[in-house]
Amino acid sequence: MLSVLTCVRPNGVSYLEPLVDTINKVCPIVHKVLACDGEVVEALGWNTIQCGPFPDRHRIDNKFPGWQIFELAAKENCDLLFLEDDARPVDENSLVDAVNYIVPEDVAFTSFHRSSYTTPGIHPARMFVMSQAIKIPARSLPWLLKWRKVCWGDWNVLVGVDLAIAEAGHNNSWLYEQTERNYFDHVGLVSAARPSQNSVSLI
């Protein structure tokens, strides 16, 4: 499964359309899910889902819709290429390669976005940040879903799907892989979750 998580951003800014167009062009047969946190957007060839409602969410926090996508992938027992809408494949080959990538058996997931915060190699999951583009194998999804239920205190204080994945992985002594090659750039200058940082340079 390939999923894209999108949301309404300030001042009508949207990064979704170019990503959807590229995916439709180079990966037309892949099972695609567009998860909308807020206003529903339809896309040809995509299964669109409305995220929420989330009665226990008291602020903008994409870990809630992220976990909804994980639940869907777990029900289908499939590997998940999880993309945020402000990720851009470096080129068409990068997208195809990420779709077909096999996560190594000794790690829980693979991150395809390189940033100033990330270092290539195998790392403890607690070090994971930047969830623009990750591959989560089916074997890792049950623990992510279980972790929210058994570690509610941890879940409640964390803001962001990347930090929630990192904490869940830390609780399960996971390792993750950061690819040396950068498959996806981060193009999102305008953040829904952190509007105070909207003038900050990309990482």
Side-chain angles (χ1 to χ4, degrees):
M1 177 190 297
L2 185 159
S3 72
V4 173
L5 175 58
T6 190
C7 67
V8 177
R9 296 174 186 266
N11 302 317
V13 171
S14 175
Y15 299 108
L16 178 64
E17 292 77 11
L19 177 61
V20 165
D21 289 346
T22 300
I23 293 171
N24 283 346
K25 177 182 176 183
V26 302
C27 301
I29 304 176
V30 173
H31 175 31
K32 296 170 287 195
V33 174
L34 180 58
C36 301
D37 186 14
E39 181 180 346
V40 173
V41 180
E42 299 291 342
L44 185 64
W46 290 70
N47 175 24
T48 299
I49 63 171
Q50 170 83 61
C51 297
F54 305 112
D56 51 343
R57 180 169 71 170
H58 306 296
R59 54 192 164 185
I60 296 173
D61 185 352
N62 67 358
K63 72 174 181 282
F64 288 84
W67 251 251
Q68 187 172 341
I69 297 170
F70 301 162
E71 290 173 355
L72 181 61
K75 288 179 182 177
E76 301 192 18
N77 193 32
C78 62
D79 295 348
L80 173 66
L81 177 57
F82 176 89
L83 304 176
E84 297 187 21
D85 61 3
D86 58 358
R88 288 289 177 277
V90 172
D91 52 42
E92 293 179 358
N93 289 335
S94 294
L95 179 58
V96 173
D97 290 348
V99 168
N100 294 321
Y101 193 87
I102 304 298
V103 176
E105 289 292 332
D106 58 344
V107 300
F109 59 93
T110 295
S111 174
F112 296 115
H113 168 57
R114 287 280 310 281
S115 78
S116 59
Y117 292 126
T118 60
T119 303
I122 307 300
H123 306 287
R126 61 180 171 77
M127 297 176 60
F128 172 65
V129 292
M130 303 295 290
S131 53
Q132 265 61 38
I134 57 176
K135 187 76 170 280
I136 306 175
R139 65 177 182 268
S140 297
L141 293 167
W143 171 253
L144 289 176
L145 299 179
K146 178 182 177 182
W147 171 79
R148 176 183 178 178
K149 298 174 183 177
V150 300
C151 298
W152 177 249
D154 291 339
W155 163 272
N156 201 35
V157 299
L158 294 165
V159 177
V161 68
D162 57 342
L163 299 184
I165 292 170
E167 186 64 19
H170 176 61
N171 287 169
N172 204 36
S173 301
W174 274 353
L175 300 173
Y176 85 98
E177 176 190 32
Q178 172 63 62
T179 58
E180 181 170 359
R181 168 186 169 191
N182 182 42
Y183 291 67
F184 291 84
D185 290 325
H186 176 211
V187 301
L189 283 171
V190 177
S191 170
R194 298 177 177 86
S196 63
Q197 297 182 11
N198 284 338
S199 61
V200 177
S201 299
L202 293 176
I203 51 177

